[in-house]
């Protein structure tokens, strides 16, 4: 009888170890001895980069998202070549790769062969948010880089035309609940989208020959003038019309006014009976609750299937396998 509690304790310890195993190796202090200045170095490259490209911050956080949703946060997205995620999907219009290279160059000078490209993406994403007025969070580190691209998983990146049910099940498959989904969608409070990502909503929604009936009428007029029929499908339009450079909670106020740019954005608020409606309202009325849920969800996203220990490598050039 006396041994029962002991066995139970051992059993619970084993369970705890198994549960923790998936991201136990990532740690906020991973580079504290090997590259203590990593965050300052990245910040300094980012500030220079912003002088050359005012849109660089949204571009960089999007890279981390696309990296993590395609087979985990392993920098597979960054690989150059003919059979890679980068070249196979021109319509995803990701950008900012040159700045990742600049960061890598600066870090190779300061601490050679130490900081992975996957960690650069995670840190650049966090700093891009805080430098745009958004929250700061502590980024768990210690990811290593893939030794192959994962083009076959590129279908994990949604187009913006999915139903809410489809988006919810995609996010659920990665362990995200509705709070995580709504908080992460709030990242569309800055940055731009191509006309091609939403013109169907302006002219021929769901093959009806009419606009999406949910669109705010004055917003529809404005979008039609920015994306005329027969115009350039790659023209870039601010996702948050009013504060496109600022990481704030305006995105949720836009949804309440039916001014969500992507179909998937507006569905969070306009799908009858959806549990996401209350979350949109909560984040619209409290920026601090948005910031705290967003930070939590970003840490969760950064923990998706990292390579650690002896898996993967520390790439010397983020575009190439060593
Ligand atoms: C709910 C699922 C999501 C969908 C359907 C979606 C879809 C899109 C689409 C279609 C665009 C416009 C791309 C273009 O036309 O060039 C876009 C832009 C963007 N997305 Fe998402 N996205 C989602 C979630 C996320 C997440 C989780 C992040 C990051 C954490 C993110 C970050 C961004 C950023 C920052 C931009 C603007 C990029 C720029 O200005 O260069 N998105 N998204
Ligand atoms: C850390 O990096 C910053 C920005 O590049 C630089 O100004 C500073 O001198 C560095 N500090 C150390 C101790 O290397
Ligand atoms: C990687 O691709 C970019 C864009 O396609 C190109 O500019 C660059 O020269 C390539 N770099 C290498 C090392 O192949
Ligand atoms: C699109 O049209 C189909 C068929 O008419 C309908 O079942 C579906 O609900 C519509 N989707 C949206 C988002 O309106
Ligand atoms: C890519 O975008 C262009 C318009 O910009 C469109 O004609 C083409 O069908 C798109 N391709 C895919 C695979 O979505
Ligand atoms: C449409 O947007 C305007 C702001 O330009 C807002 O005052 C109005 O309430 C919105 N309409 C709806 C139906 O939400």
């Amino acid at each position: 009888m006396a041994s029962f509690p002991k066995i139970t304790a051992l059993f619970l310890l084993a369970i705890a170890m198994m549960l923790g195993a998936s991201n136990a190796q990532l740690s906020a202090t991973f580079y504290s001895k090997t590259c203590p200045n990593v965050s300052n170095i990245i910040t300094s490259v980012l500030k220079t980069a912003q002088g050359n490209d005012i849109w660089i911050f949204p571009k960089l956080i999007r890279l981390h998202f696309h990296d993590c949703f395609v087979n985990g946060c392993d920098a597979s997205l960054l690989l150059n070549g003919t059979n890679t995620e980068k070249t196979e999907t021109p319509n995803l219009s990701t950008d900012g790769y040159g700045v990742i290279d600049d960061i890598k160059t600066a870090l190779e000078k300061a601490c050679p062969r130490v900081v992975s490209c996957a960690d650069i993406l995670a840190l650049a994403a966090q700093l891009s948010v805080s430098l745009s007025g958004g929250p700061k969070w502590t980024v768990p580190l210690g990811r290593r880089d893939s030794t192959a691209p994962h083009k076959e998983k590129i279908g994990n990146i949604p187009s913006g035309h999915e139903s809410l049910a489809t988006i919810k099940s995609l996010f659920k498959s990665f362990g995200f609940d509705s709070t995580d989904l709504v908080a992460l969608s709030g990242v569309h409070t800055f940055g731009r989208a191509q006309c091609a990502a939403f013109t169907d909503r302006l002219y021929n929604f769901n093959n009806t020959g009419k606009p999406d009936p949910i669109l705010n009428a004055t917003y529809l007029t404005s979008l039609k003038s920015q994306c005329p029929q027969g115009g350039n499908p790659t023209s870039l339009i601010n996702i948050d019309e009013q504060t496109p450079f600022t990481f704030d909670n305006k995105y949720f106020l836009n949804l309440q006014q039916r001014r969500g740019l992507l179909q998937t954005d507006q569905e969070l608020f306009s799908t009858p009976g959806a549990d996401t409606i209350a979350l949109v309202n909560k984040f619209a009325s409290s920026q601090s609750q948005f910031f705290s849920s967003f930070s939590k969800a970003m840490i969760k996203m950064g923990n998706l299937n990292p390579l650690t220990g002896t898996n993967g490598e520390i790439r010397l050039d983020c575009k190439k396998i060593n």
Side-chain angles (χ1 to χ4, degrees):
M1 284 310 249
S3 68
F4 180 72
K6 203 170 164 189
I7 289 167
T8 307
L10 276 175
F11 178 67
L12 288 177
L13 182 66
I15 297 263
M17 284 169 68
M18 285 189 308
L19 288 175
S22 61
N23 58 36
Q25 297 95 330
L26 295 188
S27 137
T29 56
F30 192 81
Y31 297 116
S32 62
K33 295 223 165 69
T34 52
C35 199
N37 210 11
V38 58
S39 189
N40 289 331
I41 294 167
I42 298 180
T43 302
S44 138
V45 177
L46 289 183
K47 286 183 173 162
T48 307
Q50 195 206 15
N52 300 322
D53 176 1
I54 49 174
W55 294 106
I56 190 61
F57 296 147
K59 287 175 182 174
L60 292 177
I61 186 174
R62 189 161 175 240
L63 291 184
H64 184 45
F65 164 51
H66 284 208
D67 183 36
C68 294
F69 265 51
V70 176
N71 219 61
C73 313
D74 61 1
S76 59
L77 174 72
L78 302 178
L79 292 171
N80 262 18
T82 49
N83 209 23
T84 61
E85 290 147 63
K86 209 196 251 177
T87 51
E88 289 297 309
T89 53
N91 279 27
L92 293 178
S93 73
T94 50
D95 197 8
Y97 298 102
V99 173
I100 299 297
D101 291 335
D102 293 345
I103 293 171
K104 184 63 178 173
T105 303
L107 288 173
E108 284 302 307
K109 249 183 223 157
C111 1
R113 296 168 182 252
V114 164
V115 183
S116 68
C117 300
D119 277 347
I120 291 175
L121 287 172
L123 284 166
Q126 195 296 307
L127 292 164
S128 290
V129 168
S130 47
L131 290 168
S132 302
K136 289 194 174 63
W137 63 90
T138 304
V139 182
L141 298 166
R143 297 167 192 79
R144 291 165 65 84
D145 301 324
S146 77
T147 50
H150 303 293
K151 183 187 72 141
E152 70 286 356
K153 296 277 179 67
I154 200 75
N156 287 348
I157 305 294
S159 73
H161 292 100
E162 296 80 4
S163 68
L164 179 60
T166 301
I167 292 288
K168 279 173 81 164
S169 75
L170 171 71
F171 275 67
K172 199 172 170 198
S173 74
F174 286 110
F176 294 117
D177 62 17
S178 292
T179 304
D180 298 323
L181 167 63
V182 176
L184 285 173
S185 299
V187 75
H188 291 157
T189 186
F190 69 170
R192 297 175 299 173
Q194 303 175 83
C195 290
F198 58 85
T199 30
D200 58 312
R201 299 187 72 207
L202 312 183
Y203 303 107
N204 186 20
F205 181 65
N206 202 14
N207 291 318
T208 56
K210 293 191 183 125
D212 185 344
I214 207 75
L215 267 173
N216 185 303
T218 47
Y219 190 45
L220 173 63
T221 306
S222 155
L223 290 177
K224 279 178 155 175
S225 78
Q226 296 180 81
C227 299
Q229 253 175 323
N232 181 356
T234 62
S235 289
L236 292 164
I237 307 306
N238 299 344
I239 306 182
D240 173 357
E241 209 177 27
Q242 280 159 37
T243 57
F245 296 106
T246 313
F247 197 99
D248 55 19
N249 71 337
K250 292 285 185 320
Y251 167 85
F252 299 105
L253 296 154
N254 291 341
L255 298 189
Q256 289 177 326
Q257 297 193 343
R258 303 172 165 208
R259 292 169 161 271
L261 184 61
L262 303 176
Q263 184 184 330
T264 44
D265 289 328
Q266 191 59 54
E267 282 166 352
L268 298 172
F269 184 71
S270 301
T271 304
D275 63 346
T276 48
I277 299 171
L279 292 160
V280 169
N281 290 333
K282 175 167 118 175
F283 295 148
S285 64
S286 168
Q287 181 161 281
S288 66
Q289 295 207 51
F290 166 45
F291 280 7
S292 106
S293 296
F294 182 77
S295 302
K296 270 188 212 141
M298 283 299 292
I299 291 171
K300 223 162 152 176
M301 189 178 93
N303 283 340
L304 289 174
N305 205 22
L307 295 169
T308 54
T310 54
N311 296 314
E313 62 181 21
I314 305 297
R315 270 182 227 150
L316 301 181
D317 175 342
C318 292
K319 301 185 292 307
K320 288 191 288 198
I321 292 158
N322 289 346

